[in-house]
Every structure is written in structure tokens, then in C-alpha cells.
Amino acid sequence: RTLLRENEGSSLHDIAGDHPERLNASQVVSEAEAGDPLSLRVIEEAADYLAIALGNLINLFNPGLIVLGGPVGTESSSLLQFLQEKVKKRAMAYPLSGVSIRTCSFGIDTGAIGASVLVLQQANEMLFTAARSPSDTSAASAIPDSTDLPPAHS
């Protein structure tokens, strides 16, 4: 509220007045892309917090790719630019050297598409694991037969 009151010349103030709850992320991103200084400040602050999270994720899991989706990820080149700068300060050099941060083009459907892919991968794994013939011992040999287990002690 204070920022909106202090920046009455901002296009965000024109949209929301003194009521930030009237704003959504897409509006802030759109105004930042148009060059509104307050919107850019909000995007940069969001990038600060997101960089903390992504830096931790990179340090812990060493991913090869991080994809930002949804309306904010696909619409904001300034968020991606700020984020790439700030993640460099948060992640360790070695894991950071192997990661790429990109946006995707699925928009609002990003989460649904990702969830669908996971379901299909699980279904594929379950179907083909269950359909494996008994003569196929490649995976079955890794699972001990009950006769190979030591007797249970009471």
C-alpha cells in the first residue's frame, strides 16, 4: 500500500489505487514489460525471493534444467533476466554451471501438462512392469525370492 501511495504516477496506481489486492501478477508483469518503474521494482523483489529458492534447489539437487511456467513465467522477460543475475549470487558455482533456467510456452496449463506427464510415466511404468513375462529376469533378478530370505526370528 505504501509503495502504491508513494508512486502515484505508476501505472499500477492507476489500475489499483491504494488497494494492491486489486492487482494480479499478470498485470504487474505486463506493466513491468511496458517499463513502469514500480512494476519493475516489484518484479525485481520477486526475483530476489525466487532466486533464494532456486539457489537452494540448485545447490541441493543439481538439476540440469529449471523451467518457469504459468502466466508470469511466460510473460516476463524482465523476471527471467533479474532471476538469472540473482541466482548467480545464491547458487554454488559447480551446480550452477550445469543448470539452465528457461521459460516455457504452455502458459496457464503448465502445471496440468506436467502433472499429466507424470501420470503417463507412472502408468507406462506400471503397465510394462506388470506385463513383463516371467522369463524376463533383468528386473526380476534384483528382487529376492521369498525362499532366498533368511528365516524370521521371533
Side-chain angles (χ1 to χ4, degrees):
R1 290 178 192 269
T2 304
L3 283 175
L4 282 174
R5 277 190 225 116
E6 291 172 356
N7 294 279
E8 290 184 4
S10 168
S11 57
L12 290 183
H13 189 273
D14 296 342
I15 295 169
D18 291 335
H19 304 282
E21 65 275 3
R22 293 181 184 164
L23 293 170
N24 62 45
S26 292
Q27 290 170 318
V28 175
V29 166
S30 175
E31 295 305 313
E33 294 300 311
D36 178 61
L38 177 59
S39 301
L40 284 167
R41 184 172 166 191
V42 170
I43 293 294
E44 186 171 9
E45 186 173 331
D48 282 333
Y49 291 111
L50 192 53
I52 292 168
L54 292 181
N56 287 331
L57 179 113
I58 291 166
N59 292 338
L60 288 171
F61 298 108
N62 196 13
L65 177 66
I66 295 174
V67 180
L68 302 176
V72 174
T74 57
E75 295 173 12
S76 180
S77 62
S78 56
L79 175 66
L80 183 61
Q81 182 181 2
F82 285 135
L83 191 58
Q84 287 174 331
E85 292 170 14
K86 293 172 183 296
V87 165
K88 289 176 185 174
K89 297 174 185 171
R90 300 286 180 175
M92 293 183 286
Y94 178 74
L96 182 62
S97 67
V99 70
S100 175
I101 301 173
R102 298 185 186 161
T103 60
C104 76
S105 59
F106 297 132
I108 295 172
D109 298 327
T110 301
I113 291 169
S116 300
V117 168
L118 288 175
V119 168
L120 291 172
Q121 285 175 341
Q122 280 293 106
N124 184 33
E125 191 175 303
M126 288 172 54
L127 287 172
F128 289 109
T129 301
R132 193 174 286 146
S133 68
S135 64
D136 183 8
T137 58
S138 60
S141 64
I143 303 171
D145 187 25
S146 60
T147 58
D148 296 337
L149 297 176
H153 298 285
S154 347

